[in-house]
Amino acid sequence: TENFKNMRTTWTYEAPGRIVFGPGAVEQVGLWAARLAWRKIFIVTDKELVRVGAAERVNDSLAEYGIRASEYDGGRPEPLFA
C-alpha cells in the first residue's frame, strides 16, 4: 500500500517471554532473575532514575536474591524531544 512505499528497512521486534508491570513489579526483579538462574546483571539507567531511587530499588531486589549488579547511569530516555 501507499504507506509502506517509503519504508527503507524491515524491522523485527521480538518480545520477551514475560513482561511484569504494575505496582510492586520493581520489587520482583530479583525473584524473576533468580528463577532464570542469573547471577550477574548489568543495569542501564539514567541519572534521574538514580536520583529518585528507582535504580536502588532494583539493586535491593537483586541483592535480596544474592544477584550481583553493575550499573551504568549514563543512559538517556527516548525520545530526546518530548
Side-chain angles (χ1 to χ4, degrees):
T1 70
E2 191 67 29
N3 292 338
F4 295 108
K5 287 182 180 178
N6 294 324
M7 290 184 73
R8 296 182 187 187
T9 193
T10 300
W11 298 86
T12 302
Y13 174 76
E14 295 185 30
R18 181 179 313 266
I19 297 174
V20 179
F21 64 96
V26 169
E27 285 76 16
Q28 294 181 24
V29 169
L31 170 66
W32 289 107
R35 286 183 177 178
L36 293 168
W38 293 353
R39 297 177 310 191
K40 295 185 279 185
I41 292 181
F42 183 65
I43 300 168
V44 177
T45 186
D46 62 38
K47 294 191 186 317
E48 182 64 15
L49 290 176
V50 171
R51 186 186 71 75
V52 300
E56 183 178 13
R57 290 171 54 203
V58 170
N59 278 306
D60 289 349
S61 179
L62 293 168
E64 183 179 336
Y65 288 86
I67 299 167
R68 294 184 302 155
S70 298
E71 184 178 290
Y72 170 73
D73 67 0
R76 296 186 340 191
E78 296 182 82
L80 293 177
F81 55 90

